[in-house]
Amino acid sequence: MSDLLSSLNPSQQEAVLHFEGPALVVAGAGSGKTRTVVHRIAYLLRERRVYPAEILAVTFTNKAAGEMKERLEKMVGRPARDLWVSTFHAAAVRILRTYGEYVGLRPGFVIYDEDDQNTLLKEVLKELELEAKPGPFRAMIDRIKNRGAGLAEYMREAPDFIGGVPKDAAAEVYRKYQSGLRMQGALDFNDLLLLTIELFEQHPEVLHKVQQRARFIHVDEYQDTNPVQYKLTRLLAGERPNLMVVGDPDQSIYGFRSADINNILDFTKDYPGARVIRLEENYRSSSSILRVANAVIEKNALRLEKVLRPTRPGGEPVRLYRAPNAREEAAFVAREIVKLGNFQQIAVLYRTNAQSRLLEEHLRRANVPVRLVGAVGFFERREIKDLLAYGRVAVNPADSINLRRIVNTPPRGIGATTVSRLVEHAQKTGTTVFEAFRVAEQVISRPQQVQAFVRLLDELIEAAFESGPTAFFQRVLEQTGFREALKQEPDGEDRLQNVEELLRAAQDWEEEEGGSLSDFLDSVALTAKAEEPQGDAPAEAVTLMTLHNAKGLEFPTVFLVGLEENLLPHRNSLHRLEDLEEERRLFYVGITRAQERLYLSYAEERETYGKREYTRPSRFLEDIPQDLLKEVGAFGDSEVRVLPQARPEPKPRTQLAEFKGGEKVRHPKFGSGTVVAAMGGEVTVMFPGVGLKRLAVKFAGLERLE
DNA sequence: ACGGCTTGCCTTTTT
DNA sequence: GGCAAGCCGT
């Protein structure tokens, strides 16, 4: 037993030794959270004689689940394989694949992704003769389902118009969307959880069975659970909850997905008698980095006090670089990275995916290998989606969304007119589109192509039963001329590469997990973009990703770029305090990813949609005491003066003395102007020929003129 | 039926 | 500035 505890601090030990009853582990960034949970599970197995098949651990991503399982296997060996470690959604799929029929699910149900949702919504909108885009309706549907509130409740508070359509009509869109899903034997992502709850509520005996499999429950990243996940947890935990939740309210960054930070803040009310354990010692970051992190997060008003204590020495100062524009910012990042080397130890983090382009460009130009996480999903590429659609239809021929996707891919002479005639027939006779295809000779005059297509599908349906995913996709490729057709297209070679990559991914999956085509499709649907196969990515590469994707990770060196108003905090989050504070948490998450070296940067000019915009530095930078930052020039710590591009060091800062209206000032970029107003750390200055500018005194580098 | 072109929209973040 | 959807011409 000592080896389970000896390497842990007293709070971590307390968590590991906790046995029955509810417990909340408030675990600050880098405080050894995963380690603690892993040790706790090992402790349950070894010392408390709990069976592995009685333990459930819910993680935020499949990747996190995989890593936890791996660590457990190292620690306790074989029994780890019987542990249930998964995300909420993967757990729900497993439950529904077993018991789904109790709530009217067909065994071959498919999971619709965002794309499929949009396609279905477009059909619904057309049917209702509404001229609108699917986007807002998908947002509405997700909102309704993430809260688990139901349509009626949502409608009570909904705005009068949704997506430019009166809300009564929007409600009809919702209903039609739902019945569309049901008719096709499809579920969207959120349905997975909702239907599991329905199953548990209507069939207590099923809940009871699952509870046997989950006598000890762990929920990681509890601060990011939404009301539906909260309810599911409650149901599973039951009357005598052996529930340990782990999280950090300061890292709650999924409010947009209806994650409710109150779930973690109210845990002790929801589960009376819960033990509260705080992990506040940080083992990850140098104390200079940690001081910056603490300074930032303590500015949040809606927050429980908590300070992360450093265990590591000071280290290098946190650097700040002000770039004249986004290009220069990217060039700076690339230059510094070349100087640093050790690419796999470096991450560049940003708020929006769009920011990755410039960075990637400059890094590649500097011959730095790049691993771009999560931007364009592998499984979202058109050719991959097409192939997967064959699988979905073979598993569930009622899926007409995917059927229509493949009907003429590759082109086989079945055009739009033909399809719409057959779809109409299906609607009239109340059958599936595939059934209409079967009786094509009754509907259209030249049914040969359609009939050939039906024969192909029948073969594939059979193949889906008999073979695993790899063999299935190979068969599709052989029988459809998919490869040949792809080669004709622009970037055909690249796309073909992707196809080969899919085959490889399927093969890997069969070796590791194993299972049917349907299982493989589930696993694809549940895999986040950020966890996808990286095929060509070299081992030694710099990681580029959004702040959201960086949660839970750590890197010796981190670049946090684009620290500008309207980007971080994002322009859509400026108006409500909750949103603004979530942005600040996002910044905090970014800072706390860094172990040894942290660079912050912003650009004074940036193109958005190809339009040039002047920016202001992020207000979050003002949260950091100046003595914790070291401002660096375009070439890093050592000033380079000879190169013509080298910008002169900014003028010695004007002390933070207040400016007054009427004073003349000079700005390095805008020239001289007159102060119009000054408030807080901001001044508004009129620059002749440029216009009114609002500037942060701290960063504007204003010089007072006499 | 299909390919090439224009247009319009986009960017918050994702299991 | 890019990308997908929709238009138009063949």
Side-chain angles (χ1 to χ4, degrees):
Chain A
M1 167 161 113
S2 67
D3 61 316
L4 281 181
L5 294 174
S6 57
S7 59
L8 303 176
N9 71 34
S11 312
Q12 292 173 328
Q13 289 182 7
E14 188 186 350
V16 170
L17 293 171
H18 174 82
F19 184 38
E20 288 170 315
L24 164 65
V25 180
V26 182
S31 63
K33 172 185 71 156
T34 311
R35 186 179 162 76
T36 304
V37 172
V38 165
H39 282 244
R40 197 257 172 158
I41 291 174
Y43 179 81
L44 288 177
L45 294 173
R46 276 201 219 157
E47 306 299 327
R48 296 289 190 170
R49 298 277 151 219
V50 175
Y51 293 113
E54 295 177 318
I55 296 177
L56 168 65
V58 179
T59 57
F60 196 69
T61 64
N62 297 287
K63 198 168 130 213
E67 280 163 14
M68 185 175 286
K69 255 194 137 157
E70 226 168 85
R71 285 168 78 162
L72 279 158
E73 203 155 335
K74 260 190 209 138
M75 202 163 227
V76 302
R78 178 65 231 265
R81 289 187 215 171
D82 296 325
L83 295 165
W84 190 7
V85 187
S86 102
T87 64
F88 275 111
H89 292 88
V93 169
R94 180 160 148 186
I95 292 163
L96 292 174
R97 286 273 173 228
T98 315
Y99 303 105
E101 275 157 287
Y102 289 48
V103 282
L105 267 187
R106 267 178 258 164
F109 71 83
V110 294
I111 303 161
Y112 271 10
D113 63 17
E114 197 179 311
D115 232 53
D116 301 318
Q117 286 186 61
N118 276 336
T119 316
L120 176 56
L121 273 171
K122 275 187 225 157
E123 267 175 39
V124 168
L125 290 169
K126 207 163 152 197
E127 219 176 299
L128 292 172
E129 295 180 341
L130 295 171
E131 298 253 335
K133 309 241 142 208
F137 297 96
R138 210 195 55 244
M140 167 187 83
I141 290 165
D142 280 348
R143 219 175 154 79
I144 293 171
K145 293 187 175 184
N146 272 323
R147 293 167 185 215
L151 178 61
E153 198 178 324
Y154 175 80
M155 280 300 151
R156 235 172 286 138
E157 292 162 11
D160 292 343
F161 285 85
I162 295 164
V165 154
K167 71 174 177 180
D168 291 346
E172 191 52 25
V173 171
Y174 181 86
R175 282 187 283 265
K176 280 226 172 234
Y177 168 83
Q178 273 309 98
S179 67
L181 282 180
R182 220 166 310 131
M183 274 182 340
Q184 323 219 21
L187 298 182
D188 65 24
F189 230 76
N190 292 318
D191 282 344
L192 295 171
L193 304 186
L194 290 171
L195 230 65
T196 305
I197 289 176
E198 198 180 313
L199 170 73
F200 286 164
E201 285 180 336
Q202 290 176 8
H203 297 272
E205 76 283 5
V206 174
L207 173 60
H208 191 69
K209 261 192 197 161
V210 178
Q211 281 173 337
Q212 307 291 303
R213 190 75 184 74
R215 273 189 57 221
F216 288 85
I217 301 173
H218 306 76
V219 181
D220 195 8
E221 309 282 10
Y222 193 67
Q223 78 280 359
D224 285 320
T225 51
N226 66 27
V228 174
Q229 292 164 332
Y230 169 83
K231 188 163 184 191
L232 200 52
T233 306
R234 269 218 98 108
L235 281 166
L236 279 171
E239 295 301 313
R240 298 181 52 246
N242 297 320
L243 171 65
M244 176 177 280
V245 304
V246 187
D248 178 4
D250 287 335
Q251 294 185 65
S252 166
I253 54 173
Y254 282 91
F256 67 93
R257 214 163 71 189
S258 300
D260 189 351
I261 192 171
N262 290 313
N263 287 344
I264 191 164
L265 298 179
D266 292 342
F267 186 81
T268 50
K269 279 182 231 151
D270 295 332
Y271 295 90
R275 184 197 297 236
V276 180
I277 300 158
R278 295 169 176 280
L279 308 183
E280 295 186 322
E281 266 171 54
N282 173 291
Y283 298 98
R284 178 184 296 152
S285 307
S286 74
S287 80
S288 351
I289 290 168
L290 224 47
R291 281 162 74 196
V292 170
N294 282 328
V296 166
I297 199 65
E298 77 179 13
K299 295 294 191 305
N300 265 4
L302 313 172
R303 158 172 199 264
L304 294 180
E305 282 293 302
K306 174 172 115 265
V307 175
L308 223 38
R309 290 188 300 272
T311 64
R312 302 182 52 177
E316 297 178 27
V318 174
R319 295 178 179 84
L320 174 67
Y321 174 58
R322 164 175 61 171
N325 57 55
R327 258 199 168 79
E328 287 299 320
E329 182 185 44
F332 168 79
V333 170
R335 273 196 303 269
E336 287 296 302
I337 287 177
V338 168
K339 261 195 264 173
L340 288 166
N342 280 332
F343 300 143
Q344 82 290 351
Q345 300 196 350
I346 301 175
V348 186
L349 310 180
Y350 38 79
R351 175 69 236 263
T352 68
N353 277 308
Q355 289 169 257
S356 68
R357 181 168 288 140
L358 269 183
L359 292 161
E360 197 190 353
E361 205 180 294
H362 280 85
L363 285 166
R364 292 210 194 276
R365 199 179 297 163
N367 278 323
V368 176
V370 161
R371 194 171 71 100
L372 190 63
V373 177
V376 235
F378 174 77
F379 292 114
E380 273 155 40
R381 292 171 202 214
R382 210 202 61 229
E383 60 279 13
I384 301 303
K385 287 218 72 173
D386 288 342
L387 268 177
L388 292 172
Y390 275 93
R392 308 248 205 122
V393 172
V395 167
N396 174 27
D399 179 353
S400 58
I401 297 285
N402 281 296
L403 180 65
R404 287 165 73 169
R405 185 177 184 109
I406 58 172
V407 65
N408 209 26
T409 318
R412 51 171 74 85
I414 307 177
T417 350
T418 312
V419 173
S420 65
R421 256 184 224 144
L422 290 163
V423 169
E424 231 166 81
H425 180 80
Q427 273 163 355
K428 244 189 292 173
T429 55
T431 59
T432 65
V433 176
F434 187 53
E435 290 305 319
F437 274 45
R438 266 194 202 294
V439 296
E441 73 280 0
Q442 301 170 24
V443 190
I444 53 176
S445 48
R446 289 181 50 237
Q448 289 84 354
Q449 274 103 325
V450 175
Q451 283 165 337
F453 179 61
V454 169
R455 278 196 297 278
L456 169 71
L457 280 188
D458 278 333
E459 280 175 44
L460 289 176
I461 290 167
E462 215 181 303
F465 274 108
E466 288 165 358
S467 50
T470 319
F472 176 86
F473 291 124
Q474 255 154 5
R475 180 141 183 186
V476 172
L477 292 174
E478 278 159 29
Q479 304 214 333
T480 59
F482 200 96
R483 280 204 180 91
E484 295 69 21
L486 207 55
K487 246 183 250 165
Q488 307 301 310
E489 292 184 23
D491 297 324
E493 284 304 323
D494 289 346
R495 306 203 145 173
L496 220 52
Q497 288 286 306
N498 289 334
V499 167
E500 301 306 329
E501 185 62 37
L502 175 69
L503 288 178
R504 226 169 307 145
Q507 206 155 19
D508 288 351
W509 179 87
E510 281 188 70
E511 275 159 29
E512 272 165 45
E513 320 268 322
S516 64
L517 172 64
S518 166
D519 295 329
F520 176 73
L521 295 172
D522 283 351
S523 136
V524 167
L526 295 170
T527 303
K529 283 192 273 189
E531 333 178 36
E532 283 167 6
Q534 272 280 335
D536 48 337
E540 164 104 355
V542 171
T543 303
L544 263 58
M545 63 185 150
T546 63
L547 288 163
H548 283 87
N549 273 323
K551 193 173 74 161
L553 305 178
E554 59 185 13
F555 299 88
T557 300
V558 168
F559 288 81
L560 201 38
V561 304
L563 296 173
E564 294 143 34
E565 287 292 296
N566 293 325
L567 206 47
L568 186 70
H570 194 270
R571 43 165 47 84
N572 299 349
S573 303
L574 299 176
H575 304 299
R576 294 173 36 205
L577 183 63
E578 303 100 276
D579 292 347
L580 194 64
E581 299 211 332
E582 181 157 314
E583 297 288 307
R584 191 180 271 108
R585 291 194 290 268
L586 209 42
F587 185 35
Y588 175 75
V589 165
I591 295 167
T592 52
R593 298 311 95 196
Q595 294 171 302
E596 287 153 26
R597 206 172 289 113
L598 175 63
Y599 288 85
L600 308 177
S601 68
Y602 65 93
E604 293 175 310
E605 192 187 302
R606 180 178 297 276
E607 285 184 6
T608 326
Y609 316 122
K611 239 179 59 196
R612 190 204 277 192
E613 265 180 7
Y614 291 103
T615 66
R616 280 180 296 135
S618 168
R619 66 189 74 186
F620 299 148
L621 287 170
E622 294 171 40
D623 299 341
I624 306 172
Q626 291 217 4
D627 61 324
L628 295 183
L629 289 181
K630 176 183 180 190
E631 196 159 344
V632 297
F635 291 88
D637 293 336
S638 52
E639 280 310 302
V640 177
R641 294 169 204 83
V642 267
L643 288 182
Q645 309 97 305
R647 284 166 45 82
E649 225 343 49
K651 291 265 150 45
R653 291 284 186 69
T654 316
Q655 341 29 8
L656 271 170
E658 308 295 334
F659 287 93
K660 287 201 215 75
E663 276 182 320
K664 302 271 186 226
V665 293
R666 174 152 47 216
H667 185 271
K669 183 173 195 99
F670 302 127
S672 50
T674 311
V675 174
V676 179
M679 226 184 75
E682 284 193 335
V683 279
T684 308
V685 185
M686 180 66 200
F687 294 103
V690 180
L692 269 187
K693 289 282 160 199
R694 246 173 65 163
L695 304 162
V697 176
K698 240 190 226 175
F699 300 103
L702 287 177
E703 205 184 340
R704 187 179 274 116
L705 300 177
E706 270 324 309

